[in-house]
Amino acid sequence: QVQLVESGGGSVQAGDSLRLSCAAFGRAISSAAMGWFRQAPGKEREFAGGISRSGRITDYADSVKGRFTIARDNAKNTVYLQMNSLKPEDTAIYYCAASYAWYGVVYDTYKYDYWGQGTQVTVSS
């Protein structure tokens, strides 16, 4: 069993930055593709960014491309999401997820095996 614990969320102003962390317990993330998703009130959970098992491939939703960066530190069993130039529309609960069956960037929620509990990000204008 894997437990994912997100941290780093908060309330910020538009234009500010935040770095989310996702620490994994129970199994190494070095053998998992990792992803960050977000869910705004009244909306479905959507892909924000993902990183391949090797860490060599990353991809992002068009809405965050150029502003968000995902990275992994296998030694710390942690994945990060650096969020810059935040906008009010980035307000959501952010979830990290681990997929042990896939190698590349994973875009679909059903392909992930484990999820964190989420961390709230609120961006005010």
Side-chain angles (χ1 to χ4, degrees), residues 35-38 45-50 59-65 68 70 81 83 94-95 106-107:
W36 283 96
F37 288 74
R38 64 185 186 180
R45 191 170 299 190
E46 64 176 8
F47 173 83
D59 200 13
Y60 304 90
D62 287 343
S63 57
V64 308
K65 202 166 288 186
F68 289 13
I70 187 171
L81 185 68
M83 305 186 296
Y94 283 72
Y95 300 89
V106 182
Y107 301 89

Side-chain angles (χ1 to χ4, degrees), residues 6-7 9 18 20-21 35-40 45-46 48-49 64 67-68 81 83 86-97 115-123:
E6 300 101 333
S7 61
L18 281 174
L20 306 183
S21 298
W36 283 96
F37 288 74
R38 64 185 186 180
Q39 188 167 17
R45 191 170 299 190
E46 64 176 8
V64 308
R67 300 187 297 121
F68 289 13
L81 185 68
M83 305 186 296
L86 283 161
K87 304 176 180 179
E89 50 264 44
D90 294 320
T91 295
I93 299 173
Y94 283 72
Y95 300 89
C96 73
W115 292 83
Q117 82 289 347
T119 186
Q120 177 71 46
V121 172
T122 303
V123 185

Side-chain angles (χ1 to χ4, degrees), residues 2 8 12 16 23 25-26 29 35 43 55-56 62 66 77 86 92 94-95 104 106 123:
V2 177
V12 297
D16 286 349
F25 302 91
I29 64 165
K43 295 188 177 181
R56 288 192 286 268
D62 287 343
N77 223 31
L86 283 161
Y94 283 72
Y95 300 89
V106 182
V123 185

